[in-house]
Coordinates of all heavy atoms in Angstrom, one line a residue:
M22 N 245.3 88.0 -74.0 CA 245.3 86.8 -73.2 C 243.8 86.4 -73.0 O 243.6 85.1 -73.0 CB 246.0 87.2 -71.8 CG 245.9 85.9 -70.9 SD 247.3 84.9 -71.3 CE 247.3 83.8 -69.9
T23 N 243.0 87.3 -72.8 CA 241.5 86.9 -72.6 C 241.0 86.2 -73.8 O 240.2 85.4 -73.7 CB 240.8 88.4 -72.4 OG1 241.4 89.2 -71.6 CG2 239.4 88.0 -71.7
D24 N 241.4 86.8 -75.0 CA 240.9 86.1 -76.3 C 241.2 84.6 -76.3 O 240.5 83.8 -76.8 CB 241.5 86.9 -77.6 CG 240.7 88.3 -77.6 OD1 239.7 88.4 -77.1 OD2 241.3 89.0 -78.4
N25 N 242.5 84.3 -75.9 CA 243.1 82.9 -75.9 C 242.3 82.2 -75.0 O 241.9 81.0 -75.3 CB 244.5 82.8 -75.6 CG 245.3 83.5 -76.6 OD1 244.9 83.4 -77.8 ND2 246.5 83.8 -76.4
V26 N 241.8 82.6 -73.8 CA 241.1 81.9 -72.9 C 239.7 81.7 -73.4 O 239.2 80.7 -73.3 CB 241.0 82.7 -71.4 CG1 240.1 81.9 -70.4 CG2 242.4 82.7 -70.8
E27 N 239.0 82.7 -73.9 CA 237.8 82.7 -74.5 C 237.7 81.6 -75.7 O 236.8 80.7 -75.7 CB 237.2 83.9 -75.0 CG 236.9 84.9 -73.8 CD 236.5 86.2 -74.4 OE1 236.1 86.3 -75.5 OE2 236.2 87.1 -73.5
N28 N 238.8 81.6 -76.5 CA 238.8 80.7 -77.6 C 239.0 79.2 -77.2 O 238.5 78.2 -77.7 CB 240.0 81.1 -78.6 CG 239.6 82.3 -79.4 OD1 238.5 82.6 -79.6 ND2 240.7 83.0 -79.9
L29 N 239.8 79.1 -76.0 CA 240.0 77.8 -75.4 C 238.7 77.1 -75.0 O 238.4 76.0 -75.1 CB 241.1 77.9 -74.5 CG 241.5 76.6 -73.8 CD1 242.0 75.6 -74.8 CD2 242.6 76.7 -72.7
I30 N 237.9 78.1 -74.1 CA 236.7 77.7 -73.6 C 235.7 77.3 -74.8 O 235.0 76.3 -74.6 CB 236.2 78.8 -72.7 CG1 237.1 79.0 -71.5 CG2 234.7 78.5 -72.3 CD1 236.6 80.1 -70.5
L31 N 235.6 78.1 -75.8 CA 234.7 77.9 -76.8 C 235.1 76.6 -77.7 O 234.2 75.8 -78.0 CB 234.8 79.1 -77.9 CG 234.0 80.3 -77.4 CD1 234.2 81.4 -78.5 CD2 232.5 80.1 -77.2
E32 N 236.4 76.3 -77.7 CA 236.9 75.1 -78.3 C 236.4 73.8 -77.5 O 236.0 72.9 -78.0 CB 238.4 75.2 -78.6 CG 238.9 73.9 -79.3 CD 240.4 74.0 -79.4 OE1 241.0 75.2 -79.6 OE2 241.0 72.9 -79.3
H33 N 236.7 73.9 -76.2 CA 236.1 72.8 -75.3 C 234.7 72.7 -75.3 O 234.2 71.4 -75.4 CB 236.6 73.1 -73.9 CG 238.0 72.9 -73.6 ND1 238.6 71.5 -73.6 CD2 239.2 73.7 -73.4 CE1 239.9 71.6 -73.4 NE2 240.2 72.9 -73.2
L34 N 233.9 73.9 -75.4 CA 232.6 73.7 -75.4 C 232.0 73.1 -76.8 O 231.0 72.3 -76.8 CB 231.8 75.1 -75.3 CG 231.9 75.7 -73.9 CD1 231.4 77.1 -73.9 CD2 231.1 74.9 -73.0
R35 N 232.7 73.4 -77.9 CA 232.5 72.8 -79.2 C 232.6 71.2 -79.2 O 231.9 70.4 -79.7 CB 233.2 73.5 -80.3 CG 232.6 74.8 -80.6 CD 233.4 75.4 -81.9 NE 233.0 76.7 -82.1 CZ 233.8 77.8 -81.9 NH1 235.2 77.5 -81.5 NH2 233.4 79.0 -82.1
G36 N 233.7 70.9 -78.4 CA 234.1 69.5 -78.4 C 233.2 68.7 -77.5 O 232.7 67.6 -77.9
L37 N 232.6 69.5 -76.4 CA 231.6 68.8 -75.6 C 230.3 68.6 -76.4 O 229.5 67.7 -76.3 CB 231.4 69.6 -74.4 CG 232.5 69.6 -73.3 CD1 232.3 70.5 -72.2 CD2 232.6 68.3 -72.7
R38 N 230.0 69.7 -77.1 CA 228.7 69.6 -77.9 C 228.7 68.6 -78.9 O 227.7 67.8 -79.2 CB 228.5 70.9 -78.6 CG 227.3 71.1 -79.4 CD 226.0 70.8 -78.5 NE 224.9 70.9 -79.3 CZ 223.7 70.6 -79.0 NH1 223.4 70.3 -77.8 NH2 222.7 70.6 -79.8
A39 N 229.9 68.4 -79.6 CA 230.0 67.3 -80.5 C 229.9 65.9 -80.0 O 229.4 65.1 -80.5 CB 231.5 67.4 -81.3
G40 N 230.5 65.8 -78.9 CA 230.4 64.5 -78.1 C 229.0 64.2 -77.6 O 228.5 63.1 -77.8
Q41 N 228.3 65.2 -77.2 CA 226.9 65.1 -76.9 C 226.0 64.7 -78.0 O 225.1 63.9 -78.0 CB 226.4 66.5 -76.3 CG 224.9 66.3 -75.8 CD 224.4 67.6 -75.2 OE1 225.1 68.6 -75.1 NE2 223.1 67.6 -74.7
D42 N 226.3 65.3 -79.2 CA 225.7 65.0 -80.5 C 225.8 63.5 -80.9 O 224.9 62.9 -81.2 CB 226.0 65.9 -81.5 CG 225.5 67.4 -81.5 OD1 224.6 67.6 -80.6 OD2 226.0 68.2 -82.1
R43 N 227.0 63.2 -80.7 CA 227.4 61.7 -81.0 C 226.6 60.8 -80.1 O 226.1 59.8 -80.5 CB 228.9 61.5 -80.9 CG 229.4 60.1 -81.4 CD 230.9 60.1 -81.4 NE 231.2 60.0 -80.0 CZ 232.1 61.0 -79.5 NH1 232.4 62.1 -80.1 NH2 232.4 60.9 -78.2
L44 N 226.6 61.1 -78.8 CA 226.0 60.2 -77.9 C 224.4 60.2 -78.1 O 223.8 59.1 -78.0 CB 226.2 60.7 -76.3 CG 227.6 60.5 -75.9 CD1 227.8 61.2 -74.5 CD2 227.8 59.0 -75.8
E45 N 223.8 61.4 -78.5 CA 222.4 61.4 -78.8 C 222.1 60.5 -79.9 O 221.2 59.8 -80.0 CB 222.0 62.8 -79.0 CG 221.9 63.6 -77.7 CD 221.6 65.1 -78.0 OE1 221.5 65.6 -79.3 OE2 221.4 65.8 -77.0
S46 N 223.0 60.5 -81.0 CA 222.8 59.7 -82.1 C 223.0 58.3 -81.8 O 222.1 57.4 -82.3 CB 223.9 60.1 -83.2 OG 223.9 59.3 -84.3
E47 N 223.9 57.9 -81.0 CA 224.1 56.4 -80.6 C 222.8 56.0 -79.8 O 222.4 54.9 -80.0 CB 225.3 56.3 -79.8 CG 226.7 56.5 -80.7 CD 227.9 56.4 -79.9 OE1 227.8 56.2 -78.7 OE2 229.0 56.6 -80.5
M48 N 222.3 56.9 -79.0 CA 221.1 56.6 -78.2 C 220.0 56.3 -79.1 O 219.1 55.3 -78.9 CB 220.8 57.6 -77.2 CG 221.8 57.7 -76.0 SD 221.7 56.1 -75.0 CE 220.1 56.1 -74.4
R49 N 219.8 57.1 -80.2 CA 218.6 56.8 -81.1 C 218.9 55.5 -81.8 O 217.9 54.7 -81.9 CB 218.6 57.9 -82.1 CG 218.0 59.2 -81.6 CD 217.6 60.2 -82.7 NE 218.7 60.7 -83.3 CZ 219.6 61.8 -82.8 NH1 219.1 62.4 -81.7 NH2 220.7 62.1 -83.4
E50 N 220.1 55.2 -82.2 CA 220.4 53.8 -82.7 C 220.1 52.7 -81.8 O 219.5 51.8 -82.2 CB 221.8 53.7 -83.2 CG 222.3 52.5 -83.9 CD 223.6 52.4 -84.3 OE1 224.3 53.4 -84.4 OE2 224.1 51.3 -84.4
V51 N 220.5 52.9 -80.5 CA 220.2 51.8 -79.6 C 218.8 51.6 -79.3 O 218.2 50.6 -79.2 CB 220.9 52.1 -78.2 CG1 220.5 51.2 -77.0 CG2 222.4 52.0 -78.4
A52 N 217.9 52.8 -79.3 CA 216.6 52.7 -79.0 C 215.8 51.9 -80.3 O 215.0 51.2 -80.0 CB 216.0 54.1 -78.9
A53 N 216.3 52.3 -81.5 CA 215.8 51.6 -82.7 C 216.2 50.0 -82.5 O 215.4 49.2 -82.9 CB 216.4 52.2 -83.9
R54 N 217.3 49.7 -82.1 CA 217.7 48.2 -82.2 C 216.9 47.5 -81.0 O 216.5 46.5 -81.1 CB 219.1 48.2 -81.9 CG 220.0 48.6 -83.0 CD 221.5 48.5 -82.8 NE 221.9 47.2 -82.6 CZ 223.2 46.8 -82.3 NH1 224.1 47.8 -82.0 NH2 223.5 45.7 -82.2
L55 N 216.6 48.4 -79.9 CA 215.9 47.7 -78.8 C 214.4 47.5 -79.3 O 213.9 46.5 -79.0 CB 215.9 48.8 -77.5 CG 215.1 48.2 -76.4 CD1 215.5 46.8 -75.9 CD2 215.1 49.3 -75.3
T56 N 213.9 48.5 -80.0 CA 212.5 48.3 -80.6 C 212.5 47.0 -81.5 O 211.5 46.3 -81.4 CB 212.1 49.6 -81.4 OG1 212.1 50.6 -80.4 CG2 210.7 49.4 -81.9
S57 N 213.5 46.9 -82.3 CA 213.6 45.8 -83.1 C 213.6 44.4 -82.4 O 213.0 43.4 -82.7 CB 214.7 45.8 -84.0 OG 214.9 44.6 -84.9
L58 N 214.4 44.5 -81.4 CA 214.4 43.2 -80.5 C 213.1 42.9 -79.8 O 212.7 41.8 -79.7 CB 215.5 43.4 -79.3 CG 216.9 43.2 -79.8 CD1 218.0 43.7 -78.7 CD2 217.3 41.9 -80.3
E59 N 212.4 43.9 -79.3 CA 211.0 43.8 -78.7 C 210.1 43.2 -79.8 O 209.4 42.3 -79.4 CB 210.6 45.2 -78.2 CG 211.4 45.6 -76.9 CD 210.9 47.0 -76.6 OE1 210.5 47.9 -77.4 OE2 211.1 47.3 -75.4
A60 N 210.2 43.7 -81.0 CA 209.2 43.1 -82.0 C 209.7 41.7 -82.4 O 208.7 40.8 -82.4 CB 209.4 44.0 -83.3
S61 N 210.9 41.4 -82.4 CA 211.4 40.0 -82.6 C 210.8 39.1 -81.4 O 210.4 37.9 -81.8 CB 212.9 39.9 -82.8 OG 213.3 40.6 -84.0
T62 N 211.1 39.5 -80.3 CA 210.6 38.8 -79.1 C 209.0 38.5 -79.1 O 208.5 37.4 -78.9 CB 210.9 39.5 -77.7 OG1 212.4 39.6 -77.8 CG2 210.5 38.7 -76.6
A63 N 208.3 39.6 -79.4 CA 206.8 39.4 -79.6 C 206.4 38.4 -80.7 O 205.6 37.6 -80.5 CB 206.1 40.7 -79.8
A64 N 207.2 38.5 -81.8 CA 207.0 37.4 -82.9 C 207.2 36.1 -82.4 O 206.4 35.2 -82.7 CB 207.7 37.9 -84.1
G65 N 208.3 36.0 -81.7 CA 208.6 34.6 -81.2 C 207.6 34.0 -80.2 O 207.3 32.8 -80.3
R66 N 207.1 34.9 -79.4 CA 206.1 34.5 -78.4 C 204.8 34.0 -79.2 O 204.2 33.1 -78.9 CB 205.8 35.5 -77.5 CG 206.9 35.7 -76.4 CD 206.6 36.8 -75.5 NE 207.6 36.9 -74.5 CZ 207.9 37.8 -73.6 NH1 207.0 38.9 -73.7 NH2 208.9 37.9 -72.7
R67 N 204.5 34.8 -80.2 CA 203.3 34.6 -81.0 C 203.4 33.3 -81.8 O 202.5 32.4 -81.7 CB 203.0 35.8 -82.0 CG 201.8 35.6 -82.9 CD 201.6 36.8 -83.7 NE 202.7 37.1 -84.5 CZ 203.4 38.1 -84.5 NH1 203.3 39.1 -83.7 NH2 204.5 38.3 -85.2
D68 N 204.6 33.1 -82.3 CA 204.9 31.7 -83.0 C 204.9 30.6 -82.1 O 204.3 29.6 -82.4 CB 206.3 31.8 -83.7 CG 206.3 32.7 -84.9 OD1 205.2 33.2 -85.3 OD2 207.4 33.0 -85.3
S69 N 205.4 30.8 -80.8 CA 205.4 29.8 -79.8 C 203.9 29.3 -79.4 O 203.5 28.3 -79.3 CB 206.2 30.2 -78.6 OG 206.2 29.1 -77.5
A70 N 203.1 30.5 -79.2 CA 201.8 30.2 -78.9 C 201.0 29.4 -79.9 O 200.2 28.6 -79.7 CB 201.0 31.5 -78.5
H71 N 201.3 29.8 -81.4 CA 200.7 29.2 -82.4 C 201.1 27.7 -82.4 O 200.2 26.8 -82.5 CB 201.1 29.8 -83.6 CG 200.5 29.2 -84.9 ND1 199.2 29.2 -85.2 CD2 201.1 28.4 -85.8 CE1 199.0 28.3 -86.3 NE2 200.1 27.9 -86.6
N72 N 202.3 27.5 -82.2 CA 202.9 26.0 -82.1 C 202.2 25.2 -81.0 O 201.7 24.0 -81.2 CB 204.3 26.0 -81.9 CG 205.0 26.5 -83.2 OD1 204.5 26.6 -84.3 ND2 206.3 26.9 -83.0
Y73 N 202.0 25.8 -79.8 CA 201.2 25.2 -78.7 C 199.8 24.9 -79.1 O 199.4 23.8 -78.9 CB 201.3 26.1 -77.5 CG 200.9 25.3 -76.3 CD1 201.4 24.2 -75.7 CD2 199.7 25.8 -75.6 CE1 201.0 23.5 -74.6 CE2 199.1 25.1 -74.6 CZ 199.9 24.0 -74.1 OH 199.4 23.4 -72.9
E74 N 199.2 25.8 -79.8 CA 197.8 25.7 -80.2 C 197.7 24.5 -81.1 O 196.9 23.6 -81.0 CB 197.3 27.0 -80.8 CG 195.9 26.9 -81.4 CD 195.4 28.1 -82.0 OE1 196.2 29.1 -82.1 OE2 194.3 28.1 -82.6
E75 N 198.7 24.3 -82.1 CA 198.8 23.4 -83.0 C 199.0 22.0 -82.3 O 198.3 21.0 -82.7 CB 199.7 23.6 -84.1 CG 199.7 22.5 -85.2 CD 198.4 22.5 -86.0 OE1 197.9 23.7 -86.1 OE2 198.1 21.5 -86.5
I76 N 199.8 22.0 -81.4 CA 200.0 20.6 -80.6 C 198.8 20.3 -79.9 O 198.5 19.0 -79.9 CB 201.2 20.8 -79.7 CG1 202.5 21.1 -80.3 CG2 201.2 19.7 -78.7 CD1 203.6 21.4 -79.6
I77 N 198.0 21.2 -79.3 CA 196.8 20.8 -78.7 C 195.8 20.3 -79.6 O 195.1 19.3 -79.4 CB 196.3 22.0 -77.9 CG1 197.1 22.3 -76.7 CG2 194.8 21.7 -77.4 CD1 196.9 23.6 -76.1
R78 N 195.6 20.9 -80.8 CA 194.8 20.4 -81.9 C 195.1 19.0 -82.3 O 194.3 18.2 -82.3 CB 194.8 21.5 -82.9 CG 193.5 21.7 -83.6 CD 193.5 22.7 -84.7 NE 193.5 24.1 -84.1 CZ 194.3 25.1 -84.7 NH1 195.0 24.8 -85.7 NH2 194.2 26.2 -84.0
Q79 N 196.3 18.8 -82.5 CA 196.9 17.5 -82.9 C 196.4 16.3 -81.8 O 196.1 15.3 -82.2 CB 198.3 17.4 -83.3 CG 198.7 18.2 -84.5 CD 200.1 18.3 -84.7 OE1 201.0 17.9 -84.0 NE2 200.5 18.9 -85.8
Q80 N 196.8 16.7 -80.6 CA 196.4 15.9 -79.5 C 195.0 15.5 -79.5 O 194.6 14.3 -79.3 CB 196.9 16.4 -78.1 CG 196.9 15.3 -77.0 CD 197.8 14.1 -77.3 OE1 198.9 14.2 -77.7 NE2 197.2 12.9 -77.1
S81 N 194.2 16.5 -79.6 CA 192.8 16.1 -79.7 C 192.4 15.4 -80.8 O 191.6 14.4 -80.5 CB 192.0 17.6 -79.8 OG 190.6 17.4 -79.9
S82 N 192.9 15.4 -81.9 CA 192.7 14.6 -83.1 C 193.2 13.2 -82.8 O 192.4 12.2 -83.1 CB 193.3 15.2 -84.3 OG 192.9 16.3 -84.8
I83 N 194.3 13.0 -82.0 CA 194.8 11.7 -81.7 C 193.8 11.0 -80.7 O 193.5 10.0 -80.9 CB 196.2 11.8 -81.2 CG1 197.3 12.3 -82.3 CG2 196.7 10.5 -80.5 CD1 198.6 12.6 -81.8
D84 N 193.5 11.8 -79.7 CA 192.4 11.3 -78.7 C 191.1 10.8 -79.5 O 190.7 9.7 -79.1 CB 192.1 12.2 -77.8 CG 193.3 12.6 -76.9 OD1 194.3 11.9 -76.8 OD2 193.2 13.7 -76.2
Q85 N 190.7 11.6 -80.4 CA 189.4 11.1 -81.2 C 189.8 9.9 -82.0 O 188.8 9.0 -82.0 CB 189.0 12.2 -82.2 CG 188.4 13.5 -81.3 CD 188.1 14.6 -82.2 OE1 188.3 14.5 -83.5 NE2 187.5 15.7 -81.8
I86 N 190.8 9.8 -82.7 CA 191.2 8.5 -83.3 C 191.3 7.3 -82.4 O 190.8 6.2 -82.8 CB 192.5 8.8 -84.2 CG1 192.2 9.8 -85.4 CG2 193.0 7.4 -84.8 CD1 193.5 10.3 -86.0
K87 N 192.0 7.6 -81.3 CA 192.0 6.4 -80.3 C 190.6 5.9 -79.9 O 190.4 4.8 -79.7 CB 192.9 7.0 -79.1 CG 194.3 6.9 -79.3 CD 194.9 7.3 -78.0 CE 196.5 7.2 -78.0 NZ 197.2 7.6 -76.7
A88 N 189.7 6.9 -79.6 CA 188.5 6.6 -79.3 C 187.7 5.7 -80.2 O 187.0 4.7 -80.1 CB 187.6 7.8 -78.8
R89 N 187.9 6.1 -81.5 CA 187.3 5.4 -82.8 C 187.8 4.1 -82.7 O 187.1 2.9 -83.0 CB 187.5 6.3 -83.8 CG 186.7 7.5 -83.9 CD 186.8 8.2 -85.3 NE 186.2 7.4 -86.3 CZ 186.3 7.8 -87.7 NH1 187.0 8.8 -88.0 NH2 185.6 7.1 -88.5
I90 N 189.1 3.9 -82.6 CA 189.8 2.6 -82.7 C 189.3 1.7 -81.6 O 189.1 0.4 -81.9 CB 191.3 2.7 -82.7 CG1 191.8 3.4 -84.0 CG2 192.1 1.3 -82.4 CD1 193.4 3.8 -84.0
D91 N 189.2 2.3 -80.4 CA 188.7 1.5 -79.2 C 187.3 0.9 -79.5 O 186.9 -0.2 -79.2 CB 188.7 2.2 -77.9 CG 190.1 2.5 -77.4 OD1 191.0 1.8 -77.7 OD2 190.3 3.5 -76.6
R92 N 186.4 1.9 -80.1 CA 185.1 1.5 -80.3 C 185.0 0.3 -81.4 O 184.3 -0.7 -81.4 CB 184.2 2.6 -80.9 CG 183.7 3.5 -79.8 CD 182.7 4.5 -80.1 NE 183.0 5.1 -81.4 CZ 183.5 6.4 -81.5 NH1 184.0 7.0 -80.4 NH2 183.7 7.0 -82.7
I93 N 185.9 0.5 -82.5 CA 186.0 -0.5 -83.5 C 186.4 -1.9 -83.0 O 185.9 -2.9 -83.3 CB 186.8 -0.1 -84.8 CG1 186.2 1.1 -85.4 CG2 187.2 -1.2 -85.7 CD1 187.2 1.9 -86.3
E94 N 187.5 -1.8 -82.2 CA 188.1 -3.1 -81.5 C 186.9 -3.7 -80.7 O 186.8 -4.9 -80.6 CB 189.3 -2.8 -80.7 CG 190.4 -2.6 -81.5 CD 191.7 -2.2 -80.7 OE1 191.5 -1.7 -79.5 OE2 192.7 -2.2 -81.2
R95 N 186.2 -2.9 -79.9 CA 185.1 -3.6 -79.2 C 184.1 -4.2 -80.0 O 183.6 -5.3 -79.7 CB 184.5 -2.5 -78.1 CG 185.3 -2.3 -76.9 CD 184.4 -1.6 -76.0 NE 183.9 -0.2 -76.4 CZ 184.5 0.9 -76.5 NH1 185.7 1.0 -75.8 NH2 183.9 2.0 -76.8
R96 N 183.7 -3.6 -81.0 CA 182.7 -4.2 -82.0 C 183.2 -5.4 -82.6 O 182.5 -6.2 -82.8 CB 182.4 -3.1 -83.1 CG 181.4 -2.0 -82.5 CD 181.1 -1.1 -83.8 NE 180.4 0.0 -83.2 CZ 180.0 1.1 -84.0 NH1 180.5 1.1 -85.2 NH2 179.4 2.1 -83.5
L97 N 184.4 -5.4 -83.0 CA 185.1 -6.6 -83.6 C 185.6 -7.6 -82.6 O 186.0 -8.7 -83.0 CB 186.1 -6.1 -84.5 CG 185.8 -5.2 -85.7 CD1 187.0 -4.9 -86.5 CD2 184.8 -6.0 -86.7
E98 N 185.3 -7.3 -81.3 CA 185.8 -8.2 -80.3 C 187.3 -8.5 -80.4 O 187.7 -9.7 -80.1 CB 184.9 -9.4 -80.1 CG 183.4 -9.0 -79.9 CD 182.6 -10.2 -79.9 OE1 183.1 -11.4 -80.2 OE2 181.5 -10.0 -79.5
I99 N 188.1 -7.5 -80.8 CA 189.5 -7.8 -80.8 C 190.3 -6.9 -79.9 O 191.5 -6.7 -80.1 CB 190.0 -7.6 -82.3 CG1 189.7 -6.2 -82.8 CG2 189.5 -8.6 -83.2 CD1 190.4 -5.9 -84.1
A100 N 189.6 -6.5 -79.0 CA 190.3 -5.5 -78.0 C 191.5 -6.2 -77.3 O 191.4 -7.3 -76.9 CB 189.4 -5.1 -76.9
G101 N 192.6 -5.5 -77.4 CA 193.7 -6.1 -76.6 C 194.5 -5.3 -76.0 O 195.3 -4.8 -75.4

């Protein structure tokens, strides 16, 4: 009878260990996926910052062109 109880306990412990191993494996996978998401988010923020920088650069160019057009119109006396 004692052998049966010991075997039953060992069987349960093995089952618990297998479940724990499976959970540890799943946690490693989740951690890897989270790292991937963090990298993607950082890349998106970097792209967004680059786009904003490009918009500012373009606006500066537009402002310079407007100033040149204003000067040309004043010289030609066609300001409107």
